């Protein structure tokens, strides 16, 4: 392990951000935490917040159902509003839309380099060579530093967003799931692949 890694913090924190913190970001939080706990116990801490967080509210019933179908629970979850302190504490910030990313950069301009939309980050991952010899948390510190160099606009800007289902039909929740879950799985599969090569 290099001296640079020795200076780094042991854990890696991810903040998922949507609008109300009752649909997309809590689902992302629990999916990531559940899987990463299985792959690398104790290395990752995942949380979430909303740019207009519905503080104290639980997730929408449809989201709880989707989470259950994916094998995770959202019991005990309560929404909270995004703050500059939460941004400053996160090593990686994953937003559900480009507008959320812009809001974060407005609040903390220095966060630009570690703020991506979820789908953007999933799209970048295949282009970043993983440091398989590092510990998982250390590998993700390096990943975030390198990912910014691979930012490229998609063919259509909307491909970087996850649709907001709040107050919408079941069909919109299905569309959201089809956009969000594969992106989250791309992150999980990346780390699982790295961990398996390192073991």
């Amino acid at each position: 392990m290099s001296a640079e890694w020795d200076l780094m913090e042991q854990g890696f924190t991810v903040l998922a951000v949507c609008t109300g913190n009752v649909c997309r970001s809590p689902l992302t939080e629990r999916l990531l935490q559940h899987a990463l706990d299985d792959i690398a116990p104790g290395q990752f801490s995942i949380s979430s917040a909303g740019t207009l967080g519905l503080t104290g509210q639980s997730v929408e019933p449809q989201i709880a159902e989707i989470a259950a179908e994916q094998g995770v629970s959202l019991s005990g979850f309560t929404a909270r509003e995004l703050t500059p302190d939460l941004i400053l504490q996160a090593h990686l910030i994953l937003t559900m839309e480009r507008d959320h990313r812009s809001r974060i950069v407005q609040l903390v301009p220095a966060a630009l380099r570690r703020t991506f939309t979820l789908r953007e980050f999933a799209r970048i991952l295949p282009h970043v060579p993983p440091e398989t010899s590092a510990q998982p948390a250390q590998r993700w510190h390096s990943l975030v530093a390198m990912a910014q160099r691979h930012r490229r606009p998609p063919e259509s800007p909307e491909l970087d967003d996850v649709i907001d289902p709040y107050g919408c039909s079941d069909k919109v929740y299905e569309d959201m799931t089809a956009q969000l879950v594969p992106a989250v799985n791309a992150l999980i599969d990346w780390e699982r692949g790295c961990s398996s090569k390192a073991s």
Side-chain angles (χ1 to χ4, degrees):
M1 185 180 298
S2 70
E4 180 181 356
W5 290 130
D6 290 339
L7 293 172
M8 283 191 169
E9 298 176 43
Q10 292 301 307
F12 188 86
T13 58
V14 180
L15 177 67
V17 176
C18 67
T19 303
N21 195 212
V22 293
C23 291
R24 296 166 290 176
S25 59
L27 181 59
T28 299
E29 171 192 330
R30 293 293 174 93
L31 289 172
L32 272 179
Q33 189 72 72
H34 178 77
L36 292 174
D37 279 349
D38 182 58
I39 299 167
Q43 298 256 342
F44 295 89
S45 176
I46 321 296
S47 62
S48 63
T51 55
L52 298 171
L54 301 174
T55 304
Q57 291 194 25
S58 57
V59 299
E60 288 294 283
Q62 297 96 320
I63 292 296
E65 291 175 8
I66 292 166
E69 291 169 0
Q70 297 293 323
V72 301
S73 171
L74 279 161
S75 63
F77 181 90
T78 55
R80 62 179 179 172
E81 188 160 2
L82 180 71
T83 65
D85 281 347
L86 291 174
I87 296 169
L88 290 167
Q89 292 165 14
H91 297 125
L92 170 64
I93 304 160
L94 297 172
T95 71
M96 300 302 112
E97 298 176 24
R98 289 162 290 147
D99 286 349
H100 302 141
R101 185 179 60 196
S102 297
R103 177 58 179 156
I104 287 165
V105 175
Q106 288 172 0
L107 289 171
V108 181
L112 173 62
R113 293 187 173 193
R114 51 195 169 88
T115 304
F116 304 81
T117 75
L118 171 64
R119 296 179 77 189
E120 174 190 23
F121 199 71
R123 181 163 46 80
I124 288 172
L125 275 180
H127 304 288
V128 180
E131 296 196 0
T132 54
S133 61
Q135 291 296 310
Q138 298 163 348
R139 177 163 46 245
W140 280 68
H141 282 289
S142 179
L143 168 61
V144 172
M146 292 188 290
Q148 59 182 305
R149 305 172 193 171
H150 296 274
R151 290 186 192 265
R152 302 287 187 278
E155 294 180 7
S156 174
E158 292 77 17
L159 292 175
D160 275 347
D161 295 342
V162 174
I163 192 171
D164 186 358
Y166 184 71
C168 296
S169 67
D170 289 345
K171 174 63 166 61
V172 180
Y173 277 89
E174 292 172 6
D175 291 343
M176 178 223 66
T177 304
Q179 295 171 352
L180 186 149
V181 171
V184 170
N185 285 341
L187 275 63
I188 294 166
D189 291 344
W190 188 87
E191 178 51 40
R192 183 177 285 115
C194 292
S195 292
S196 64
K197 290 176 183 176
S199 60

